[in-house]
Amino acid sequence: MIYFLIVLYALIMGAAAIVNRRNLGLTLTAANLLGSFSLLCTPFHPLFLLLGLIGLLGSALGNGYVLQGRIRPLHVAVRCGISIALFICYIFL
């Protein structure tokens, strides 16, 4: 079940990056896609989960700044919560 949630999160984030590629620019789009791809590689090595979640959190900060003009604390808190929940569930399940 946890792999399903990880793959779902990766696909949603990758799709969002592709949809907003013109607004995000090449660097942020690549960071989002790299983080999503890293999450998809989690079954091969657990380190990919950590790299993907950190990459997507970092790109979320850049996305917020580029798309909204500032970083929204609620958005960052929600993304941190999702990342921590996925990580804890992966470790303990």
Side-chain angles (χ1 to χ4, degrees):
M1 179 66 179
I2 189 64
Y3 285 116
F4 172 74
L5 294 175
I6 291 170
V7 167
L8 183 65
Y9 184 60
L11 292 177
I12 289 171
M13 296 312 301
I18 291 170
V19 168
N20 287 321
R21 69 185 178 276
R22 290 188 180 143
N23 296 333
L24 293 177
L26 182 61
T27 306
L28 281 174
T29 301
N32 281 304
L33 292 176
L34 188 62
S36 296
F37 182 71
S38 181
L39 286 181
L40 292 175
C41 293
T42 298
F44 301 117
H45 197 281
L47 184 61
F48 285 118
L49 176 69
L50 189 59
L51 292 174
L53 291 175
I54 291 171
L56 287 175
L57 279 174
S59 64
L61 295 173
N63 293 347
Y65 188 73
V66 167
L67 296 175
Q68 303 292 328
R70 64 186 177 100
I71 298 171
R72 297 185 183 260
L74 181 61
H75 179 248
V76 175
V78 168
R79 294 287 293 270
C80 284
I82 291 171
S83 296
I84 290 170
L86 284 174
F87 185 74
I88 288 173
C89 289
Y90 181 81
I91 295 296
F92 292 115
L93 295 179

